[in-house]
Structures are given as C-alpha cells and as structure tokens.
Amino acid sequence: MKLVTATPSPFGRKVKVVLYETGLIDEVEIELITTTPFDTDTDLASANPMGKIPALIREQGPALYDSRVITRYLDAHAGTELYPEARIWDTLTLEATADGILEAALSMVYEHRLRPPEKVFDGWVEAQWAKAERAVTAVNARWMSHLSGPLDMGQIAIACALGYLDFRHADRNWRKGNDALDDWFAVFAQRDSMKATAPE
C-alpha cells in the first residue's frame, strides 16, 4: 500500500499516527507530495479525484480517501479496535469534532496563502477561528473522561487537531481556559507515534 500525503497535512498526520499505533508503518510506502487546490499533484488526482490528501493506494481495489475512511480501513486491517463498538458513537463524534477543528484551521491558512492580500476576508478568518475555539472548549468541557480512557480514534484525531493549532495558529493560544485538555495533550503528545509524525 502507498499513502499519498504531505508532511504538514494534519489529516495525513492522523493517518500516519494510526500506522504507527497499529504496527502497519513498515507495510505502507509514504509518498510525500506538494499540492494545492490550484495545482493538484498528478498522482494525487489519479488516486482521489477531489485532489485532497491523504489518499491510500491499495494493490487491489480503488484508492481510499478521505482520512476517516483510511483510518477505519487500517484499523480493520490491523484488528486494533481504534473504533471500539462499545463506544463507537462517542469515538466517531469526537473524531468528527477534531476534523471540524482542522477544516476551520486549514481554511484560515488558505485564506491568507491562496488569496491575494487585498482579497483576504478577515471576518471569514475570525469566523473559522470561532468554530475551532468553540470545539476545543466543548472537548475540554465534555470529553475529558473519554480522552482519559483506552486509546481510540477520537483521541488520535483530537491530538492531531491540537497539534495543528500549535503548528499554524500558536498565537491564538487554544490552551487558555482549557487546562484539562492542555494537561491531557501534554501527555499524549509524548507518544512515539506523535513524536514521529510531528509537522516540520
């Protein structure tokens, strides 16, 4: 199998963390690419017609995307139960929350990176941050017991989302008022899978 991704991609990082946690890291070739919505990498476009990373190219069957499909496939392939049936709805909701944080945070980056400076809409940027901030606050208020339980995909997704906020939006300080989540992340970030996949 081959994973098409980019080093800074938080969605790609989520998949790579799963590869480490499931013990599949040596079974998947990682192809690092450079791509943008305006100039989509050819290999990526052939794997995912939407031109988004990551994509998992399999030897048999079509390529898989997006990250939630890939991580669930890898978990099933490895039999590691990162999507435990006993708490599947909580796990999926927490993963969706993390992906929402990432989508908002990425939108903020794209607004500045892909638009001419005179067309940047600051109101849009602030609205995206408001979404991310609400989600982080909700996780801190409602989900700490889940995050403190056995490892699952919800925890991995939230950790990757918080790591991306640190990477791209450190000046926003998501930690303010979210002490429990800050403490949890400080411990989770020390996992070998997180350290091996930290963005550069």
Side-chain angles (χ1 to χ4, degrees):
M1 293 184 287
K2 179 166 70 174
L3 179 68
V4 182
T5 187
T7 300
S9 168
F11 293 104
R13 184 187 189 191
K14 189 171 68 165
V15 174
K16 287 186 286 185
V17 169
V18 168
L19 287 174
Y20 278 97
E21 294 290 351
T22 58
L24 295 174
I25 189 64
D26 293 329
E27 296 183 26
V28 177
E29 175 190 352
I30 297 178
E31 179 184 348
L32 298 177
I33 64 168
T34 299
T35 190
T36 74
F38 296 136
D39 185 18
T40 302
D41 178 86
T42 304
D43 285 349
L44 177 61
S46 65
N48 178 357
M50 301 302 293
K52 294 183 177 181
I53 50 179
L56 183 70
I57 300 172
R58 300 179 291 169
E59 293 180 2
Q60 296 181 341
L64 299 179
Y65 53 87
D66 62 6
S67 64
R68 275 184 276 188
V69 175
I70 297 171
T71 55
R72 194 143 190 189
Y73 172 80
L74 293 172
D75 179 54
H77 184 69
T80 43
E81 297 187 5
L82 293 175
Y83 292 91
E85 283 300 320
R87 56 185 191 281
I88 189 62
W89 303 117
D90 288 345
T91 300
L92 290 174
T93 299
L94 199 54
E95 184 179 14
T97 301
D99 283 0
I101 293 170
L102 289 178
E103 288 162 4
L106 272 169
S107 182
M108 293 168 67
V109 171
Y110 285 159
E111 185 70 13
H112 287 282
R113 182 174 295 169
L114 301 180
R115 285 185 183 273
E118 68 275 11
K119 292 187 177 181
V120 169
F121 182 16
D122 290 333
W124 171 262
V125 173
E126 294 308 314
Q128 299 314 302
W129 178 250
K131 292 178 186 179
E133 191 173 41
R134 284 195 304 268
V136 169
T137 299
V139 172
N140 184 77
R142 306 172 192 168
W143 292 99
M144 293 314 302
S145 61
H146 185 107
L147 292 179
S148 299
L151 179 68
D152 67 18
M153 198 59 223
Q155 296 174 17
I156 292 171
I158 288 294
C160 290
L162 298 178
Y164 189 72
L165 294 184
D166 280 345
F167 180 55
R168 293 296 193 200
H169 304 293
D171 59 317
R172 298 277 183 164
N173 191 17
W174 65 263
R175 290 171 170 79
K176 186 177 180 180
N178 297 302
D179 294 346
L181 188 57
D182 181 16
D183 290 344
W184 172 83
F185 180 63
V187 174
F188 198 92
Q190 295 306 307
R191 295 182 73 90
D192 290 343
S193 61
M194 292 292 289
K195 290 192 288 187
T197 59
E200 299 175 0

